[in-house]
């Protein structure tokens, strides 16, 4: 039987990460979010800070490589050199995602996992959104800031995510056609949204 692979895309403040963690728990899946950065870094021999800076935002590496040489970990591999391109970094991360997906049931949050694993049997992709007012309130509380600052932060981060996703997939981030299921978590709340997605996955994949 193929491994169950759940890819979760999410708007900022939608509760996507919490829902993903609930799905990982109920389906006994390994959960990959920031952990994936460390996994990719370990496989490449690079310092995880390189992947953190590249994480879900295209175009940041030009300035990074001016100072990166002193931050590299020694891997003994000629392929992973100081001149490693952003596309190569994405390839390393993609290989890490594939390796994890082959070995276990997994839940991946973001990082184009739905596209990277598009040919993998057992994949179910979901995108989680929420009402703007809800997301603004969540982010404002998280950052301890006012609503206007939270809205600007959401807009900037989601432009980065959309750019990153579009660059590597040639698809539109958050578009219904890019996923198996799109759902507004404001309708049911975090817990019931996770339960609803669970039932859909059971009927579709199990």
């Amino acid at each position: 039987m193929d491994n169950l692979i759940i890819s979760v895309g999410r708007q900022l403040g939608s509760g996507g990460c919490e829902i993903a963690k609930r799905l990982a728990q109920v389906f006994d899946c390994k959960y990959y979010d920031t952990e994936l950065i460390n996994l990719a870094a370990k496989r490449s021999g690079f310092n995880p800070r390189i992947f953190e800076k590249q994480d879900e935002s295209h175009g940041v590496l030009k300035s990074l490589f001016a100072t990166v040489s002193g931050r590299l970990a020694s891997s003994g591999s000629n392929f992973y050199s100081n001149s490693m391109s952003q596309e190569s970094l994405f390839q390393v991360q993609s290989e890490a995602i594939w390796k994890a997906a082959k070995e276990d049931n997994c839940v991946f949050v973001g990082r184009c996992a739905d596209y990277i694993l598009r040919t993998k049997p057992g994949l179910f992709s979901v995108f989680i959104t929420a009402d703007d007012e809800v997301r603004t309130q969540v982010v404002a509380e998280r950052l301890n800031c006012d609503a206007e600052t939270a809205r600007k932060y959401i807009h900037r981060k989601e432009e980065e995510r959309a750019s990153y996703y579009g660059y590597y997939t040639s698809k539109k981030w958050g578009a219904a056609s890019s996923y198996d299921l799109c759902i507004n978590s404001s309708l049911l709340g975090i817990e019931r949204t996770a339960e609803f997605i669970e039932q859909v996955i059971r009927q579709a994949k199990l």
Side-chain angles (χ1 to χ4, degrees), residues 34 36-55 61 64-65 67-75 80-82 84 89 92-93:
T34 55
L36 185 60
I37 298 172
N38 294 327
L39 175 62
K42 182 178 179 180
R43 285 171 55 82
S44 69
F46 273 71
N47 188 304
R49 290 184 64 184
I50 295 174
F51 291 88
E52 291 169 2
K53 287 180 177 292
Q54 190 252 10
D55 185 30
L61 291 188
L64 173 61
F65 280 120
T67 57
V68 76
S69 58
R71 300 177 183 172
L72 297 179
S74 176
S75 65
Y80 299 110
S81 65
N82 291 12
M84 189 179 190
L89 285 173
V92 169
Q93 186 167 272

Side-chain angles (χ1 to χ4, degrees), residues 13-31:
S14 66
C17 289
E18 185 176 348
I19 290 169
K21 289 177 181 177
R22 289 173 180 262
L23 293 173
Q25 183 175 18
V26 74
F27 287 113
D28 192 24
C29 294
K30 288 191 175 180
Y31 174 83

Side-chain angles (χ1 to χ4, degrees), residues 1-5 97-106 108 113-124 180 205:
M1 183 176 178
D2 296 311
N3 292 339
L4 174 63
I5 308 299
I97 290 173
W98 262 105
K99 183 176 186 298
K102 288 178 180 178
E103 293 176 349
D104 295 287
N105 296 333
C106 299
F108 295 102
D114 61 297
Y115 179 79
I116 292 166
L117 298 173
R118 63 193 181 281
T119 60
K120 178 78 170 66
L123 173 67
F124 184 88
D180 295 317
K205 295 294 181 181

Side-chain angles (χ1 to χ4, degrees), residues 134-185:
V134 172
R135 298 194 299 121
T136 299
Q137 182 178 352
V138 168
V139 172
E141 292 176 356
R142 183 185 303 166
L143 300 181
N144 192 26
C145 64
D146 58 44
E148 182 60 26
T149 300
R151 280 191 288 269
K152 290 180 179 179
Y153 179 82
I154 290 171
H155 179 73
R156 176 173 60 84
K157 295 298 290 185
E158 294 194 343
E159 276 194 337
E160 291 176 355
R161 286 182 182 178
S163 175
Y164 179 92
Y165 186 86
Y167 179 84
Y168 286 110
T169 71
S170 299
K171 299 197 299 180
K172 185 176 180 181
W173 179 74
S177 59
S178 297
Y179 310 90
D180 295 317
L181 175 68
C182 294
I183 187 167
N184 184 335
S185 62

